[in-house]
Amino acid sequence: MCRLRSPRAILTALLLGSLATTGQAAEPPHVKKTVMALPASSPALVEFVRKVVPSNPRVKAARSALNASGAFHLAASQPLYNPGLSFESQHAHEHRHYLGLEQRIDLVDKRSARTAVASADRLAIHADYIFTRRAVTADLLSGLAGYQTGVERDALATKRVRLMQEFAALTKRRFEAGDMARVEFNLAVLVFADARMKQATVRTTLIDARQQVTNLVPPDSRTPWPTLEAGLPALPAQDDLESLLMELPEVQAAQRRVDSAKAVISLRNRQRVLDPTIGFSRGEEAGEPLFGLNLVLPLPLRNPFKYEVTAAYERYRQAQQTVNDVLRRARARLVNAFERYRIAQSTWQDWQRIGPSSAQQQADHLRRLWQAGELSATEFLVQTSRTIDSQDSALQLRQALWLAWFEWLIASGKVDEWLKVGSYTKTTGTSG
């Protein structure tokens, strides 16, 4: 009797072989300096992302925060103190009238220190804005990958149900005719019920994936959802690791907050110097003109403002440690994304070479063997289920490949380049 190796076993062997090959890599990924052009994303996908992402509430909120930071920067650059005008008039034995003008003096240029703080904060918020855009883009891309995979898995599950239903009906007729044992008939019924349950699970997953996309797409949008292409490069571009990391918006945001905390130290030190007030007055008393000049010097006797400086130094140290943490996480994310993508891409290529044709040949061969009586009903059911399972695993592998690609794009900061929205990548000025 013929015994066939299932495509699932083949796929498992390929995966293990790919993992073994990966483990033998002689050079860590961050050492590689080769540069490779990114594959072009489909125009439909680019257009879809450009319509959906800017209209997302999270992105709009980040944009409003960016606009507010610009207003705060303008406010901080204005003079600290406005002049004051005073008027005094006395009517007693002698008439006295005074008109005075006073101005508080920014003695140590607190204005420039405030501007430096606001400028660093604005750059940090701008980096946050870019990070939010990319996070929403990543959610949208992963949602599309899940939805497209769910649609195809649902079609495969429907095919499984139809096949098992037809087989169960056939085995019922054979059982009633006395040509089949009850055990095999019961197995056919159970496999059909199992196919229905798997179909329900797949459809639930599809609903969840659809919801992930609809959560991001405007309710009134009529733009059709684009399909993702399976053709991806063998290896993503691996530029200098440190350069990639330093250009990431989350790293730049953390670094800008270090700059802000450093500027706050300067501001707090200057705020310990209390600003004097200079006044000039002109008046008239008993018909005689009077001129006056006064100077008010605040005395820091009750509050020397030293604890504000201490707190500013601690905030600065906190910001420095935050940068170190963000850099470590970003580096680990990039290296791991590179490895996950390489494993998924290599395994998917192996499946593409032998998997689809082997699965179809396996299904046809099993049907012929069973019809010829060379396979029992039990063997046919087991082998057919494994064949369909391998096809389902291949769809999930392709989704894993897409997700690994998107993860690498985000971790390396290349997603804007891939989607041709490079105007959003700069954090040294205003965004596009």
Side-chain angles (χ1 to χ4, degrees), residues 318-339:
Q318 177 189 3
Q320 287 180 315
Q321 294 305 317
T322 300
V323 169
N324 295 336
D325 179 66
V326 171
L327 273 172
R328 286 184 182 182
R329 292 174 181 272
R331 182 179 291 105
R333 182 183 183 184
L334 178 56
V335 173
N336 292 337
F338 180 90
E339 290 296 330

Side-chain angles (χ1 to χ4, degrees), residues 29-58:
H30 63 273
V31 177
K32 297 180 183 296
K33 302 293 184 180
T34 57
V35 178
M36 186 187 67
L38 293 177
S41 52
S42 67
L45 179 61
V46 172
E47 185 65 21
F48 185 73
V49 170
R50 287 188 172 185
K51 286 183 177 180
V52 171
V53 173
S55 63
N56 184 267
R58 272 190 287 164

